[in-house]
Amino acid sequence: MNHVTIKLPDGSFKKAPSGTTVGDLANTISPRLAKAALAAVVNEHLVDLSFVLKEDGSVRIITGDSPEALSLYRHSTAHLLAAAVTSLFPGVQCGIGPATDEGFFYDFIVERPFVPEDIKTIEKKMQELVRQDLPYKREAWPKEEAKRFFSERGEPLKCQLIDEKTETQTEISCYTISNRDTFVDFCLGPHVPSTGKLKAFKLLSTSNAYWKGDAQNQPMQRIYGTAFPSTKTLQEHLNQLEEAKKRDHRKLGREQKLFLFHSWAPGATFWLAKGTVLWNKLADYMRSVLFPAGYVEIKTPLLFHKDLWSTSGHWEHYRQNMFLVEGEEEQTGLKAMNCPGHMLVFASEVRSYRDLPLRLYEQTPLHRNEASGVLSGLTRVRQFSQDDAHCFVMESQISEEVGRLIGLVQHVYRDFGLKYTVKLSTRPEKFLGETTTWDHAEQSLKQALDATDQPYLLNEGDGAFYGPKIDFDVTDAIGRQWQCATIQLDYQLPQRFDLKYTGSDNEEHHPVVIHRAIFGSFERFLAMLVEHYAGAWPLWLAPTQVVVLPISDRHLTYAKKVRDMLTEADLRVELDGRKEKIGYKIREAQLQKVPYMLVMGDRETAENTVAVRSRLTGDLGAVTVTDFVHKALEEIECKSLESLRTDKNDPPSVK
């Protein structure tokens, strides 16, 4: 009998008869391992436990603790969902059902939209299939037989997928749950061994969808769900989702009157008075950080001729995402990014190596033609602004300039109390330029990261097609990650625009461009901040920093005097002079999450003081207006993320 030699993760080797399945191999290693096994990685390929070992190689058994397990659970649960739906709704057509970062979804063509009662019934059916512990089986079918099978079942979408994804194949992969009558799907897999492995899942919502995401195609119904290796992790995730609902920036934006949207301007934000305060605070804050760092702010046009976009490459590769404007027999496009305009600014003068680095900053509006179905609050819009800058440098300056940028990002995120992780993304499979140039660029980024002692993950092959990049993922207060800052090297755009500078050797050279943003877009960053702070803004950012609360009408004159003093000190103040009880006014201010409430009655009016209430800690006692202003301005100056302290013995606030 022939044998194969298998290398295990601990470096040891094991012999097994040729034809042994991965599941059988796991059992020879340890019955406990076999019981926990879900799939395996054989020679770097993820496979089912039924995979047959025919040659020497490496094997790693996947269990619930493996990094691949989560996606495996979710993909298999998507199939479980489809099995339940096809059982309950005869005649349904199945679309696709992938695993996602948040869980999974599956698209269906049904006679009517799903309702909440359907979701409960479907989930109950899924649980029934789990209790039956039905096996997932991979079957190799002749391609034409598979197409005939799905066609006869009234599932033309599956036939279309088979043609698209298996152009050169004569045999395809299908998976059943138990048998073809229970459920069958065209799928590459792999899957868990049986439905009994899937015990921690939850269906979350439904939505309208279109086949392949194209509104011109067949309308479908999408069911979203999530799955985890254990009920504990599932419950933690569901708790996080519940907390996320409370923090939803769309909900808090309405309650705090920050912004609104209207169907006549889809994907464009109406910034209301308080939201405009926040937007301007971010803009002014970023200027205060960048100007001392050597940046200059410019403004470029919103509308450019087609020739600009052709030169930059966007007309060929990005035109479908742009808003195009026809006029006077000319084709123009609203700018979707600032970089091409910045190339023209650089080219407008003769440049020397003494002018570099040149750091151009801009925050004018950008427009991208996002599909209406993906628009979502401030996180996915058609009109937005970025804290966008382009640093034109010599190759020898890359490492130092990137180090400066990393320091800026660290400074900004510290001020906002944000934690983050960093990824270095390297050369993708398809790229522009020379390999040696890429190697040099990647090494420059690594040197900059190492010089700043910044921990980072290596994200192989995920760089932009024109250069490697560093991405910063911010983790918010409830553990969700938001991709915000990015630092990208670009050798291609300066060459496309034929940008030159005269070097110290008196020769002409192309500069290197560093694309960088720290907030990303103002809109998305503000959405993240709303949800991170849950609408409870630190004093330096709060649209309303103080509300003045007279107890009765006879205290109104003094209250107006206090308001005016605070306004003169540059504090953002509101006066609540309504004829309501003071308890009601305090509750209203608390619901609006105003950082400080100044209450005044007979005693405060007589003594020229105010009774200070903190949003977080309640009554702080009476102080003079001057003392309150001094402490408030001190807290604003240091960008404290804590409540104002009145006890001088307390430790200082921490940024």
Side-chain angles (χ1 to χ4, degrees):
M1 179 183 292
N2 292 331
H3 284 74
V4 292
T5 301
I6 302 301
K7 183 179 181 181
L8 301 177
D10 62 1
S12 64
F13 291 87
K14 192 173 186 65
K15 284 191 177 294
S18 178
T20 298
T21 66
V22 173
D24 290 339
L25 176 70
N27 198 46
T28 64
I29 298 171
S30 161
R32 179 179 293 180
L33 178 63
K35 186 177 180 181
L38 301 172
V41 175
V42 177
N43 295 330
E44 304 306 318
H45 294 288
L46 192 62
V47 299
D48 299 295
L49 292 180
S50 60
F51 182 83
V52 176
L53 299 169
K54 297 179 180 178
E55 57 185 31
D56 297 347
S58 63
V59 174
R60 176 167 58 88
I61 304 298
I62 301 301
T63 67
D65 296 327
S66 304
E68 299 88 349
L70 191 58
S71 178
L72 191 66
Y73 276 119
R74 290 172 171 175
H75 188 191
S76 298
T77 309
H79 275 232
L80 181 69
L81 163 63
V85 170
T86 54
S87 172
L88 294 167
F89 298 86
V92 68
Q93 280 195 58
C94 294
I96 59 171
T100 67
D101 290 342
E102 295 298 317
F104 60 88
F105 67 81
Y106 210 111
D107 291 342
F108 304 95
I109 297 177
V110 286
E111 291 183 356
R112 60 167 177 80
F114 293 115
V115 296
E117 290 74 17
D118 293 331
I119 300 305
K120 291 178 183 177
T121 303
I122 293 167
E123 193 171 276
K124 186 177 179 181
K125 182 65 176 179
M126 292 170 69
Q127 291 163 349
E128 179 187 319
L129 295 173
V130 166
R131 287 192 294 272
Q132 293 175 22
D133 196 21
L134 304 173
Y136 284 81
K137 295 179 183 176
R138 182 183 183 278
E139 298 179 359
W141 293 11
K143 181 176 178 179
E144 292 307 316
E145 178 187 323
K147 287 174 61 180
R148 186 165 54 251
F149 174 85
F150 285 110
S151 177
E152 290 172 356
R153 281 168 59 106
E155 296 203 59
L157 300 184
K158 291 297 177 185
C159 299
Q160 187 178 334
L161 281 177
I162 291 170
D163 281 334
E164 290 175 358
K165 295 188 178 295
T166 61
E167 288 183 13
T168 60
Q169 296 172 227
T170 58
E171 195 173 75
I172 67 163
S173 167
C174 289
Y175 276 83
T176 65
I177 294 180
S178 183
N179 53 53
R180 296 186 185 185
D181 292 332
T182 303
F183 180 70
V184 61
D185 202 355
F186 163 58
C187 179
L188 299 178
H191 287 284
V192 297
S194 70
T195 59
K197 297 287 186 181
L198 308 172
K199 296 177 180 176
F201 57 82
K202 182 71 178 172
L203 299 186
L204 300 172
S205 62
T206 64
S207 73
N208 296 322
Y210 294 99
W211 177 238
K212 297 183 180 177
D214 187 340
Q216 303 302 314
N217 287 341
Q218 179 76 45
M220 308 185 81
Q221 282 283 295
R222 176 171 295 178
I223 298 179
Y224 290 96
T226 193
F228 285 88
S230 71
T231 53
K232 180 184 176 184
T233 50
L234 172 63
Q235 192 56 52
E236 288 172 352
H237 179 74
L238 295 178
N239 291 343
Q240 185 190 67
L241 291 180
E242 207 52 45
E243 181 62 27
K245 285 182 184 177
K246 298 176 188 174
R247 293 169 176 262
D248 190 323
H249 73 277
R250 291 164 295 189
K251 170 179 173 288
L252 291 173
R254 288 191 302 271
E255 292 174 357
Q256 296 192 340
K257 298 182 179 178
L258 303 179
F259 54 83
L260 60 83
F261 293 92
H262 196 281
S263 59
W264 289 353
T269 311
F270 288 75
W271 291 103
L272 304 178
K274 291 182 179 180
T276 301
V277 169
L278 281 170
W279 202 100
N280 287 335
K281 286 300 295 181
L282 286 190
D284 291 341
Y285 167 81
M286 188 53 70
R287 291 184 179 107
S288 75
V289 171
L290 295 183
F291 291 173
Y295 287 76
V296 293
E297 184 173 4
I298 62 174
K299 291 183 183 293
T300 58
L302 302 184
L303 193 66
F304 283 100
H305 193 277
K306 170 189 172 183
D307 290 351
L308 173 94
W309 304 115
S310 296
T311 302
S312 68
H314 290 100
W315 195 261
E316 180 182 358
H317 299 291
Y318 200 77
R319 180 172 42 181
Q320 70 276 10
N321 299 108
M322 295 174 61
F323 285 102
L324 306 181
V325 181
E326 301 282 346
E328 295 186 357
E329 299 182 356
E330 291 186 336
Q331 286 186 300
T332 57
L334 284 172
K335 68 175 177 180
M337 59 281 298
N338 289 310
C339 30
H342 290 196
M343 302 303 115
L344 298 185
V345 172
F346 184 94
S348 66
E349 297 181 27
V350 176
R351 307 288 182 180
S352 158
Y353 72 96
R354 294 186 178 89
D355 300 321
L356 306 183
L358 175 64
R359 306 178 183 100
L360 303 180
Y361 172 66
E362 182 167 9
Q363 57 187 42
T364 52
L366 303 173
H367 292 82
R368 294 181 185 175
N369 193 7
E370 301 280 5
S372 58
V374 302
L375 299 177
S376 178
L378 297 177
T379 59
R380 199 70 177 265
V381 290
R382 288 175 173 168
Q383 177 183 298
F384 61 99
S385 296
Q386 293 181 315
D387 65 312
D388 200 9
H390 295 88
C391 306
F392 297 82
V393 299
M394 299 183 286
E395 277 209 48
S396 60
Q397 296 172 322
I398 291 174
S399 185
E400 181 182 355
E401 187 67 14
V402 171
R404 289 167 59 94
L405 288 172
I406 293 169
L408 280 177
V409 175
Q410 292 170 334
H411 171 91
V412 170
Y413 289 171
R414 184 171 61 246
D415 280 347
F416 287 91
L418 299 172
K419 297 178 181 178
Y420 56 88
T421 55
V422 180
K423 295 180 296 191
L424 171 59
S425 299
T426 58
R427 183 174 64 245
E429 186 176 336
K430 295 182 179 180
F431 62 93
L432 295 178
E434 302 296 326
T435 302
T436 53
T437 303
W438 274 84
D439 290 343
H440 175 74
E442 290 172 8
Q443 190 58 37
S444 297
L445 293 185
K446 288 178 182 177
Q447 288 174 355
L449 287 163
D450 293 338
T452 56
D453 294 324
Q454 173 64 62
Y456 62 93
L457 299 173
L458 199 58
N459 196 16
E460 296 279 7
D462 201 41
F465 68 90
Y466 51 78
K469 61 177 182 170
I470 299 171
D471 288 325
F472 292 73
D473 292 335
V474 169
T475 302
D476 70 13
I478 58 174
R480 298 168 302 178
Q481 286 199 322
W482 303 67
Q483 201 281 307
C484 291
T486 187
I487 299 170
Q488 303 178 0
L489 289 190
D490 186 355
Y491 288 80
Q492 308 307 318
L493 212 52
Q495 294 183 25
R496 294 185 75 106
F497 281 88
D498 197 26
L499 302 185
K500 301 284 182 60
Y501 71 90
T502 303
S504 58
D505 57 0
N506 217 30
E507 298 291 328
E508 288 189 330
H509 304 272
H510 291 297
V512 179
V513 169
I514 303 175
H515 304 253
R516 50 108 293 185
I518 300 176
F519 292 156
S521 82
F522 280 77
E523 284 74 7
R524 193 166 183 273
F525 193 73
L526 273 168
M528 187 265 294
L529 288 182
V530 170
E531 300 192 10
H532 177 66
Y533 297 135
W537 301 96
L539 186 64
W540 72 279
L541 274 176
T544 300
Q545 295 170 317
V546 185
V547 62
V548 175
L549 304 174
I551 291 176
S552 69
D553 282 353
R554 66 177 181 273
H555 309 120
L556 193 54
T557 300
Y558 178 60
K560 290 178 179 177
K561 177 183 174 184
V562 171
R563 177 198 60 191
D564 293 344
M565 291 174 68
L566 299 178
T567 303
E568 287 173 10
D570 249 358
L571 292 171
R572 296 185 289 279
V573 190
E574 289 184 5
L575 169 63
D576 187 348
R578 294 176 297 169
K579 293 182 179 180
E580 299 284 357
K581 291 182 178 180
I582 191 63
Y584 177 83
K585 292 181 181 181
I586 290 172
R587 282 193 299 275
E588 286 281 293
Q590 198 78 30
L591 286 172
Q592 285 296 308
K593 303 185 179 181
V594 179
Y596 294 106
M597 293 146 266
L598 303 186
V599 180
M600 51 212 64
D602 292 337
R603 182 174 177 179
E604 289 78 21
T605 302
E607 296 177 357
N608 282 317
T609 60
V610 288
V612 183
R613 287 188 62 86
S614 162
R615 174 184 65 209
L616 294 177
T617 55
D619 189 5
L620 298 178
V623 298
T624 66
V625 178
T626 302
D627 282 348
F628 174 79
V629 167
H630 174 74
K631 290 180 181 295
L633 293 179
E634 191 178 67
E635 182 179 350
I636 292 167
E637 178 65 25
C638 72
K639 296 181 176 61
S640 171
L641 300 172
E642 299 179 358
S643 60
L644 181 144
R645 297 179 181 275
T646 57
D647 185 346
K648 63 183 179 182
N649 295 318
D650 280 346
S653 297
V654 179
K655 269 192 183 180

